[in-house]
């Protein structure tokens, strides 16, 4: 076992313990999560972070999925750091990264959850009298409703893609909560209707802005794929535990072949999903040219696998699984939402097929 | 009325009636309403149907029904085509309770309850128990004889609409020493009896249609026994299968009408980019495959009704229909959820009085497990089909 | 049970007995088949036929599939009668129908097995010096290689679709056998390279020629769907019989849930396929406007179901099923060929989807 | 050689070697050839690989191998990428026979056979029996001790390449009274012994790679016993799992290289109407789904090799790999058959020396049952995964 793999196992064990404490949908204690160092993982050491990579964040994302945890980690950490990391260094950016590392929530990136892959920005900057103004709208933005500060990827007048840093209270910005069946996710809509934008708040990418946005969407899709993997793992574990003790017809239902074989199929799907997610994480960390395809595979496969596994978990839990109280529905809803968030399996496969022919 | 001409005329009559009587915006109006408003709406719709002679078409003529099977088929097809509200609340009363009374009840029991059901008496089924699950016969609720009464103790679960019920069809163990299917009796239980405690169960969808029913020293007069003592399992088996064909036909028609129309609408609605989902060959292929399966289901149900009526249904036919319907329902709702994407997650409530498809795709997807789990989970149905339909040998150690 | 249903059950019983006599792939005794009246079923009584309908022919087709029978029934009877039935009455047509009824083989219809639904004719008549000449080519034509007489649907110079009756030995016509893995089917190619065509051999349809060709392709697809239904039924029956006696781990393998549930799924698929085939047969017999859609559903579903069922049958027969000797492969090959013949499931579903949106 | 730089260099070396040595048109040339031509071709290719040091990379250095696992991975990846012929005929010799000799054989047995295998000695596996099927341990072939010899009677089946074999790995029952896994012994049997009768079995694909082997009073010297008498089941279990990881990796690479390239070619070849199959969204979706699964399979196999090497493979990992590979192979070949339609049925023979994918889609689809049935059918693998991988309880009445 490599040192890195050992590190990840340790991280996973700590995360599982930390997240096992609460009820899945009750919300995670943010302070604990900050103390555990999860907010600063990818932030450079000179900005009070740990200087780790997405590989470690992926472990946390999977464990959050496994716990069906309610937390703004996706919007306020994974996407925020991703957006800032590819931004050219400037004081505002560095300050924000430091804030993220120190555990400040209330930061969101205006990525439309319905988009994936090579979609352009949902916002654009227009040159007008009195300077630049921001227009556009995005739906299903993770953790936007409680955000005080917003990072908005936008098309600049010169056609490049920039990041606009805004206070959520800026006039002309409208934030609306978008309740979804999965109560463990906080999504919302964001509309900018000619919002005046100061010069110092338009940040250019360190490299190609469009590539940075693409990478950010890939990161979002991959974080959700990790989450789905965690959801699926939790459902298999719970199902195995349940069918080992639940008796019908005079024996544990887990001794029936139909139940066994269903569980075996769940394990196979999860095992393959884990490989695909692992490949994608390594490709993104290495900034491979093919990282987008690896993410598409991981998101498509893990997204579908989690719904299949959670659905089968509900089936094998029988009536108990269908009660609100059992909490199985939380995982099924989260799996189904994940499946659609940042690109459906069909959309990701369409992108993969386009590469083949 | 039996010739094809009469049926066409009957179809036209029902269609006209639906046009005049189905509340046009009932789905919107029944979304997010209180339990009381739901009960009022169900009762009003039941009265409408009763007025037209459409409420209990399957009952014998002497009790207010008397429609031929062919007419019933037409009636349910037209109600589905018109997307009429379903008689959800009265379902057990009109079907299981009535079948039990008609097939195994005494004259007194029939006279007391059948007219009352037409006047709105609500029944609930008290069969399932937490520990029994799909192994229904292993139920633990006991009924101990004390003179002219039975004293009942135990716990029932998955009693649909239990909080609104007046009466309960109850299975309880009267001979704990007998083999598990030979010591069960069947009772009619007044839900207002002392010792009956009803608690709603919240389901995965967030709704609470089902209840747990706790029974503590509930006293039931021996006159409310149905069939002989200790023959309750056999009574339940006989009455459970009654009308199953027509019920399934109605569900298949519901899925094939409003359900499929919504699916087509979802697939043909242009997205923000102007493209319609169906313009993607993968969506078109899947939609056509589901249409094909739904057409097959409707034919299957019609055939099942015809063969049941002719006494030619096979021992596993009901299981084939239930298995295929429930899994097709689940696949269809899953596909609707995928096509409508994130938007499907923003419908937090579905209209009450609706069937298993309401256009709130994610909720309907969740709700589809109400079909693959209860009434013998899909796993049980497959075993029944293999053993009774194909004659494959039983597992050496299955309980008996 | 209606009289018609009883008639079909009787026909089915007789057919099953007749076909059970030989080895599946050894070829059916054509004379017996003629004596049973199968060749003249749809031929009008005044032309020595039985004046029955496709509903009865469908029963025979299913039983031929069930026996994986090698016979030219599809090309020389089902398609020939179908082509002639929609042709305007003339002496040549009537004579040919009489020949079919009397059991003459060696008649084939030049329908390309790769086509389906609304495909136009593969041949065309060109007005030239010295009269009309036939051009075109068709592949995978059922029973063409042994045919002495050919009926060729062709586009006439006026754009209509006609039927050209030709002697197979006519110069310019090339017939080639096309061996396929399923040795129970005889397919072949037909090329016409400026074949001179006499006036009396160009027959017009009784109604719209294009509609007649469409109906003929539907008939071909439906006959194959019936065949697939029969293949699937045979495979389920054989599997049930086998798993009831084959013992492993000290018990009949049919007592294992995995085997039972697989057999249950086979039965469900076959039951649904039977309904869809039944709907299509009734729609075609009644000449419903929607008959094409009903055929598409039947062909798509039964075509896929038969492959799934035969594949599962091979799996459940274990090593035995994989031997040539067991004959299971015959059914799997026939099922797979049927699936592609006269329109794949994907093609039929594409046509169905086009009606929906 | 262990650093990443060395591996890159090794990869380049193998790639160059393949470019120079893989016969460019071997698939065409190996289609429809006689058994003799096939054996000659296999022997020639084996000699080529041996010359390069690529024939037995997994053997210990002292016997002519000694390649690191990381190098073997590279070797098999590059052979697959170059679509080199497979060592089909020598497979049992190089893997099962060698593993048996190395792990459980005597020094004499090793010295006699390992060099012979390098010189072309062909082995066959005599484990399966007609009545045993997936319940391998219930085998009935007996070996009765008579002094320094065993006398063997019985019948073996599914002996791959049996008609070309010099030696056989034989399992036979030496103690009929013992529980079924405790009375079996493991032998090396000379196929030229009197009483050995080999008959080819014709398979569903029309080929005859497999044989039945009838054994009538065949005498085997006791020195040809492997491991202790009556411990043959345990020897077989230990040696069967050896190299399974690398074998699966090679198969996954084969499917991921030539197999998938043909599939893409089939999907992108314009039809008579000028349209390519992949232009249909349903085909594109399915192709991308299969590509995804194949990428997953390759990673899974690589991971399995690494964990096996590190001694960290779980008890059901091999079953997960085999189950996923075999069913994915079947799905992929089925899809290829569908995409290429009727044309796929016109390929009546596939190239010998090929793997499980040859571009003759329908034959390959048929052949895929050679993976889902033998070596523990998929049903058995699922049970193993559930019981050993997930710890689910055994069936109450399973044999032991």
């Amino acid at each position: 076992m490599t040192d890195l793999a050992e590190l990840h196992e340790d991280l996973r064990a700590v995360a599982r313990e930390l997240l096992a404490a609460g009820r899945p949908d009750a919300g995670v204690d943010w302070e604990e999560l900050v103390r555990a160092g999860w907010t600063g993982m990818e932030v450079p050491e000179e900005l009070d972070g740990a200087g780790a990579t997405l590989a470690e964040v992926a472990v946390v994302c999977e464990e959050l999925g496994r716990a069906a945890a309610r937390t703004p980690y996706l919007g306020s950490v994974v996407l925020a750091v991703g957006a800032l990391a590819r931004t050219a260094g400037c004081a505002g950016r560095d300050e924000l990264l430091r804030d993220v590392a120190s555990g400040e929530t209330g930061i969101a990136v205006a990525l439309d959850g319905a988009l994936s892959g090579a979609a352009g920005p949902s916002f654009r900057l227009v040159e007008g009298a009195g300077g630049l103004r921001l227009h556009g709208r995005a739906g299903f933005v993770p953790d936007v409703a409680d955000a005080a500060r917003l990072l908005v990827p936008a098309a600049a007048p010169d056609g490049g893609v920039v990041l606009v840093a805004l206070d959520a209270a800026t006039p002309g910005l409208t934030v609306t909560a978008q309740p979804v069946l999965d109560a463990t996710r906080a999504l919302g809509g964001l509309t900018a209707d000619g919002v005046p934008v100061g010069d110092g708040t338009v940040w250019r990418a360190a490299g190609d802005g469009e590539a940075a946005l693409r990478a950010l969407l890939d990161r979002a899709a991959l974080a959700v794929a990790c989450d789905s993997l965690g959801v699926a793992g939790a459902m298999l574990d719970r199902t195995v535990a349940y069918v080992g003790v639940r008796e019908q017809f005079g024996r544990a239902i887990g001794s029936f072949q139909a139940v066994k074989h269903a569980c075996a199929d769940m394990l196979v799907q999860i095992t393959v999903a884990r490989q695909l997610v692992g490949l994608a994480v390594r490709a993104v960390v290495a900034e491979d040219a093919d990282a987008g395809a690896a993410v598409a595979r991981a998101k498509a496969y893990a997204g579908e696998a989690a719904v299949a596994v959670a659905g089968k978990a509900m089936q094998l839990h029988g009536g108990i699984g269908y009660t609100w109280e059992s909490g199985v529905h939380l995982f099924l809803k989260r799996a189904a939402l994940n499946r659609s968030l940042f690109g459906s399996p069909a959309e990701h496969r369409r992108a993969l097929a386009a590469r083949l022919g | 009325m039996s010739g094809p001409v009469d049926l066409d005329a009957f179809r036209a009559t029902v269609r006209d009636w639906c046009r005049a009587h189905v509340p046009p915006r009932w789905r919107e109006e029944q979304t997010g309403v209180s339990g009381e408003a739901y009960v009022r709406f169900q009762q009003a719709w039941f009265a409408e149907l009763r007025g037209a002679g459409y409420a209990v078409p399957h009952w014998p003529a002497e009790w207010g029904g008397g429609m031929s099977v062919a007419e019933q088929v037409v009636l349910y097809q037209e109600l589905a085509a018109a997307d009429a509200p379903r008689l959800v609340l009265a379902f057990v009363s009109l079907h299981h309770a009535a079948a039990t009374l008609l097939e195994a009840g005494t004259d007194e029991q029939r006279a007391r309850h059948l007219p009352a059901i037409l006047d709105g008496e609500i029944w609930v089924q008290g069969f399932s128990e937490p520990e029994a699950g799909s192994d229904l016969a292993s139920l633990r609720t006991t009924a101990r004889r004390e003179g002219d009464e039975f004293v009942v103790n135990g716990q029932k679960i998955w009693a649909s609409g239990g909080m609104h019920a007046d009466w309960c069809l109850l299975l309880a163990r009267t001979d704990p020493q007998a083999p598990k299917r030979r010591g069960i009796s069947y009772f009619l239980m007044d839900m207002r009896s002392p010792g009956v405690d009803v608690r709603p169960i919240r389901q995965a969808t967030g709704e609470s249609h089902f209840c747990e029913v706790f029974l503590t020293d509930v006293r039931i007069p021996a006159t409310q026994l149905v069939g002989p003592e200790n023959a309750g399992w056999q009574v339940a088996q006989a009455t459970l299968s009654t009308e199953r064909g027509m019920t399934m036909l109605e569900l298949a028609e519901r899925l094939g009408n409003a359900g499929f129309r919504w699916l087509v609408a979802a697939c043909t609605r242009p997205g923000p980019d102007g493209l319609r989902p169906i313009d993607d060959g993968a969506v078109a292929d899947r939609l056509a495959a589901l249409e094909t399966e739904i057409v097959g289901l409707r034919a299957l149900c019609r055939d099942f009704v015809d063969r049941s009526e002719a006494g030619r249904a096979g021992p596993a036919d009901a299981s084939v229909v239930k298995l295929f319907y429930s899994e097709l329902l689940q696949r269809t709702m899953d596909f609707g959820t995928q096509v409508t994407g994130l938007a499907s997650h923003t419908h937090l409530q579905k209209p009450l009085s609706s069937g298993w498809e309401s256009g709130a795709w994610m909720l309907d997807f969740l709700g589809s497990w109400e079909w693959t789990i209860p009434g013998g989970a899909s796993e049980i149905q497959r075993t029944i089909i293999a053993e009774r339909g194909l004659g494959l040998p039983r597992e050496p150690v299955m309980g008996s």
Side-chain angles (χ1 to χ4, degrees), chain A, chain B:
Chain A
M1 209 152 153
T2 64
D3 291 351
L4 195 61
E6 270 179 46
L7 179 77
H8 289 174
E9 284 315 305
D10 291 348
L11 174 57
R12 185 181 303 282
V14 169
R16 199 163 296 183
E17 199 178 339
L18 191 159
L19 293 167
R23 258 191 64 94
D25 54 340
V28 177
D29 183 344
W30 185 257
E31 290 311 315
E32 274 203 68
L33 193 150
V34 175
R35 271 197 301 278
W38 296 357
T39 52
M41 249 169 196
E42 284 187 275
V43 174
E45 293 180 46
E46 60 272 25
L47 298 174
D48 307 336
T53 72
L54 185 66
E56 290 71 46
V57 170
V59 174
V60 172
C61 288
E62 182 186 339
E63 292 304 319
L64 291 173
R66 168 177 281 275
R70 190 151 64 79
T71 147
Y73 192 75
L74 175 61
S76 295
V77 178
V78 183
L79 298 182
V81 173
L84 295 169
R86 284 183 176 249
T87 299
C90 66
R93 183 204 85 132
D94 290 355
E95 188 191 333
L96 212 46
L97 270 174
R98 213 184 289 271
D99 286 350
V100 172
S102 73
E104 190 169 322
T105 57
I107 301 167
V109 183
L111 278 190
D112 192 319
L115 298 182
S116 69
S122 307
F123 297 84
R124 64 190 196 286
L125 285 170
V126 177
E127 195 87 58
L132 290 170
R133 288 184 179 265
L134 185 72
H135 292 267
R137 59 181 307 147
F140 302 102
V141 179
D143 306 309
V144 73
D146 292 328
R149 282 185 283 175
L150 301 173
L151 297 169
V152 184
D158 67 3
V161 177
V162 297
L163 201 62
V164 183
L166 285 171
D167 193 293
T170 312
L173 271 184
T174 313
V175 175
T176 46
Q178 172 60 71
V180 286
L181 282 170
D182 172 11
T184 66
R185 289 277 192 206
L187 304 177
L190 177 69
T191 307
D193 189 12
V195 179
V197 169
D199 266 359
T201 59
V202 176
W203 300 341
R204 300 240 152 229
D208 175 20
E210 264 185 276
L213 177 58
R214 238 183 352 256
L216 190 57
L217 280 166
D218 280 348
R219 164 182 283 258
L222 183 51
V224 175
C226 294
D227 195 278
S228 288
L229 182 58
V231 167
M235 283 292 90
L236 175 58
D237 288 356
R238 281 186 60 165
T239 302
V240 166
Y242 180 76
V243 302
V245 297
R246 168 73 168 175
E247 296 203 353
Q248 296 214 299
F249 304 100
R251 47 196 268 208
I253 61 172
S255 71
F256 284 104
Q257 259 194 350
V259 174
K260 273 186 201 172
H261 289 195
C263 289
D265 285 333
M266 289 159 85
L267 179 62
V268 171
Q269 284 175 288
I270 291 170
T271 305
V272 175
R274 182 172 302 287
Q275 291 299 331
L276 289 167
V277 167
L279 288 175
V281 167
R282 289 194 288 280
V284 166
V285 169
E287 298 186 22
D288 281 359
D290 247 10
V295 169
R297 287 186 204 106
K299 177 65 170 67
Y301 192 92
E304 280 186 349
V307 176
V309 168
K312 193 49 99 171
M314 183 165 278
Q315 178 70 21
L316 296 180
H317 273 79
I320 301 298
Y322 192 66
T323 61
W324 183 271
E325 204 177 19
S326 76
V328 172
H329 66 97
L330 286 174
F331 291 87
L332 182 50
K333 289 168 184 169
R334 186 153 171 151
L337 187 77
N338 280 355
R339 182 172 58 170
S340 290
L341 202 57
F342 294 115
S344 68
E347 286 163 328
H348 285 293
R349 284 197 292 263
R350 213 176 299 146
L352 288 169
R355 299 167 63 250
L356 295 172
Chain B
M1 306 218 305
S2 68
V5 176
D6 285 344
L7 280 182
D8 286 348
F10 180 62
R11 188 180 293 281
T13 304
V14 178
R15 194 169 293 179
D16 286 345
W17 185 88
C18 286
R19 208 171 287 133
H21 291 83
V22 173
R25 290 177 38 78
W26 70 266
R27 286 190 176 273
E28 293 83 340
E29 288 160 14
Q30 279 284 294
T31 304
V33 296
S34 68
E36 291 70 34
Y38 159 69
V39 171
R40 269 200 311 276
F41 180 77
Q42 281 282 311
Q43 285 169 335
W45 179 240
F46 180 72
E48 289 267 28
L49 285 167
R50 193 188 165 189
Y54 298 162
V56 288
H58 56 297
W59 286 17
E62 57 184 303
W63 296 107
M67 222 180 256
S68 72
V69 165
E71 285 168 296
Q72 290 177 53
V73 168
V74 168
L75 176 63
Y76 287 121
Q77 286 176 338
E78 289 302 315
L79 287 169
D83 190 24
R86 294 193 66 228
L87 287 180
V88 182
L89 188 61
F91 190 81
V92 173
S93 313
L94 300 180
H95 296 280
H96 299 159
T100 300
L101 293 165
L102 288 165
E103 292 184 28
T106 62
D107 287 342
E108 291 71 25
Q109 288 169 344
R110 275 194 280 273
R112 171 165 181 185
H113 290 295
L114 288 177
I117 286 173
L118 282 180
D119 288 336
E121 188 174 271
I122 301 299
W123 285 70
V124 69
Q125 193 174 278
F127 287 8
S128 299
E129 298 192 5
E131 292 304 313
S134 282
D135 185 11
L136 190 58
S138 70
L139 58 86
R140 297 178 181 188
T141 294
T142 58
R144 185 173 30 84
R145 189 151 197 147
E146 280 193 9
D148 286 348
E149 291 184 328
F150 287 85
V151 182
V152 181
N153 281 283
Q155 183 186 352
K156 294 292 172 176
I157 198 168
W158 303 119
S160 176
M163 63 292 255
H164 307 299
D166 304 302
W167 283 83
C168 175
L169 302 170
L170 184 78
L171 287 181
R173 191 165 298 285
T174 37
D175 182 354
Q177 260 66 56
K180 65 184 185 176
R181 295 180 185 182
R182 307 239 156 248
I184 294 170
S185 297
Y186 197 126
F187 299 94
L188 311 178
M189 180 181 74
D190 189 336
M191 290 292 280
R192 284 175 201 84
S193 312
V196 175
D197 180 16
V198 178
R199 298 183 207 159
I201 302 166
R202 195 172 183 199
Q203 300 139 232
T205 54
E207 299 162 322
S208 299
H209 292 157
F210 294 105
C211 295
E212 288 182 291
V213 181
F214 295 87
L215 304 167
T216 313
D217 291 333
V218 178
R219 306 188 85 85
I220 303 180
T223 54
Q224 284 164 218
L225 195 60
V226 182
E229 196 172 332
N230 293 326
W233 180 258
Q234 291 66 35
V235 172
Q237 289 299 307
T239 58
L240 264 179
S241 61
T242 309
E243 297 301 327
R244 193 180 272 182
M246 199 61 76
T247 303
M248 293 309 305
L249 181 131
E250 195 215 331
L251 292 170
E253 291 296 320
R254 294 276 170 178
L255 180 59
N257 279 279
F260 189 67
R261 287 200 295 263
W262 284 316
L263 191 61
V264 172
C267 290
T268 52
R269 196 175 297 129
D273 54 2
L275 285 173
R276 306 171 313 155
I278 201 175
D279 295 330
D280 177 359
V283 171
D285 186 74
R286 193 94 188 83
L287 181 66
L290 288 172
E291 192 230 17
T292 297
E293 291 192 280
I294 291 172
V295 169
L297 171 73
R298 292 167 78 176
L300 185 63
C301 289
R302 177 63 207 258
D303 185 53
F304 179 47
V305 166
D306 288 345
R307 280 183 301 114
S308 297
E309 178 64 14
R312 291 191 302 107
D317 287 4
S319 290
V320 169
V321 172
K322 196 240 178 193
L323 177 65
F324 186 63
Y325 168 72
S326 60
E327 298 198 340
L328 174 57
L329 178 75
Q330 198 158 84
R331 282 197 295 281
T332 307
M333 298 306 129
D334 187 11
F335 180 63
T337 302
Q338 292 184 60
V339 168
T340 52
L342 292 171
S344 72
H345 295 261
T346 64
H347 293 279
L348 306 182
Q349 286 186 310
K350 60 180 272 190
L352 299 179
S353 303
S354 171
W356 304 96
E357 57 289 305
S358 71
W361 297 104
M362 182 62 204
L363 279 173
D364 288 341
F365 181 38
L366 285 168
S368 69
W369 271 268
E370 272 186 46
W371 266 100
T372 57
I373 295 172
S378 297
E379 293 78 7
I380 307 285
Q381 302 299 344
R382 287 193 166 84
T383 298
I384 291 173
I385 292 168
E387 294 179 359
R388 298 190 206 157
L390 296 170
L392 289 178
R394 299 190 61 156
E395 285 205 75
V397 291
M398 287 265 287
S400 61

